[in-house]
Amino acid sequence: MTLPPLTDKPRLEDVARRAGVSVPTVSRVLNGRSGASRETRQAVLTAMDDLGYERPDRLSGRARGQIGIVVPDLVNPIFPAFAGAISALVAPNDYIPALCTLPGGGVTEDEYVSLLLDQGVRGLIFVCAAHADGRAGVERYHRLRARGIPFVLTNGTRTEVDAPSIANDDSMAIQTAVRHLASLGHRKIGFATGPEHFIPSRRKAEGFRAGLKQQLGVSDPAPHTAVTMFSIEGGHSAAVELLDAGHTGIVCASDVMALGAIRAARSRGLRVPEDVSVVGFDDSPLMAFTDPPLTTLRQPVTAMAEAVVQALLTELSGERVSRTEVLFESDLIVRGSTAAAPG
């Protein structure tokens, strides 16, 4: 459709008509307020450009500042997935994503935050960082709040911290994994998990305990649990312990641990899934292409990233987001690493 030439400066009504939205929606986009989706925002900006409507400085493509994204590492593929998804949402809102990783022996979270504050960072997103360690103090987050710096916690809710919190429902996910293995006839199901001081580990352990009770009538999960590190080597050592105890199904607290468990089974001359079934956690990239393809719990990274970024943008606009934890459900992705129990 060709619009008639405009004799005067285009009005908000003209932009709204061109974009197919309401005038209040155009106003929200112009003022950088929440309530408009990324697609709607882009449609409004395109309509403004088509009509020759001069964008305000905040919409002219000039960055409004940095958003810090703090993740534990880039080794476990779930963390690059979160970093990429969050960065892809931050940039179109005219913020520069600043990625900070926390490798052992490197720069600490507090040092990164200090550097970002020196650079005038506008907001922060913490993904399974220090807040996820139940032993870590929360004074650092109180200091951020006192300085008026908005931030969001991801996967590791701390109720004593005044900030929005987004998390995967780890407990329910592990219960789903136990139910899946029990439905395949497995009666000795083991759990390979990471250090118990991490909040996600605690929640996964709670889910395993509930799953064993509900599905197999087992009250004590301790003989069926191996605590190790969130790594391939950790998964290998945990699986050795669980296989020695006669478990035919193993639920792992991460995909990389599941890969280690499969390696351990094969080193014992066992076949996966014919002799032992293995379930991972996260559905991180490439898990559909492992040998065998990994059955796993899919953490909804994209949906969680959208919620995290929206919460931060809302706080940056001056509106307060609810402090009630927002939980996302995992989907069980059944692939080739699980099958009926042997015998």
Side-chain angles (χ1 to χ4, degrees), residues 83-295:
I86 292 170
S87 297
L89 294 168
V90 164
N93 285 282
D94 299 330
Y95 288 101
I96 300 172
L99 179 61
C100 304
T101 62
L102 304 171
V107 180
T108 67
E109 178 176 320
D110 290 340
E111 290 169 334
Y112 266 133
V113 170
S114 179
L115 290 171
L116 290 168
L117 291 174
D118 289 342
Q119 295 295 319
V121 70
R122 297 293 305 281
L124 291 156
I125 294 171
F126 297 96
V127 180
C128 213
H131 67 278
D133 186 342
R135 303 172 306 180
V138 295
E139 294 79 10
R140 55 176 58 87
Y141 304 112
H142 294 329
R143 290 194 295 269
L144 280 175
R145 177 58 58 198
R147 293 187 59 161
I149 305 296
F151 60 93
V152 180
L153 304 180
T154 311
N155 279 347
T157 299
R158 302 293 288 267
T159 56
E160 64 270 44
V161 175
D162 181 17
S165 184
I166 312 295
N168 189 68
D169 193 341
D170 294 335
S171 176
M172 188 58 65
I174 295 297
Q175 291 180 56
T176 299
V178 174
R179 183 168 60 249
H180 170 63
L181 291 176
S183 72
L184 293 172
H186 293 273
R187 291 298 174 262
K188 289 206 69 175
I189 300 173
F191 180 43
T193 187
E196 296 172 323
H197 57 84
F198 290 115
I199 293 172
S201 293
R202 294 176 185 174
R203 291 187 167 185
K204 290 171 182 175
E206 291 168 1
F208 183 66
R209 181 183 303 109
L212 280 188
K213 181 66 175 177
Q214 293 164 4
Q215 302 301 322
L216 302 177
V218 176
S219 299
D220 183 9
H224 309 283
T225 301
V227 178
T228 179
M229 302 302 296
F230 286 110
S231 64
I232 289 178
E233 293 76 16
H236 186 283
S237 65
V240 167
E241 179 180 336
L242 295 170
L243 291 170
D244 285 346
H247 294 89
T248 63
I250 300 176
V251 179
C252 297
S254 75
D255 287 338
V256 292
M257 293 182 75
L259 297 181
I262 292 173
R263 186 177 70 178
R266 287 176 171 165
S267 71
R268 295 296 182 90
L270 299 174
R271 299 165 299 165
V272 178
E274 291 85 355
D275 300 315
V276 58
S277 289
V278 177
V279 180
F281 196 105
D282 288 332
D283 194 29
S284 42
L286 303 181
M287 291 305 107
F289 306 100
T290 58
D291 180 24
L294 186 66
T295 294

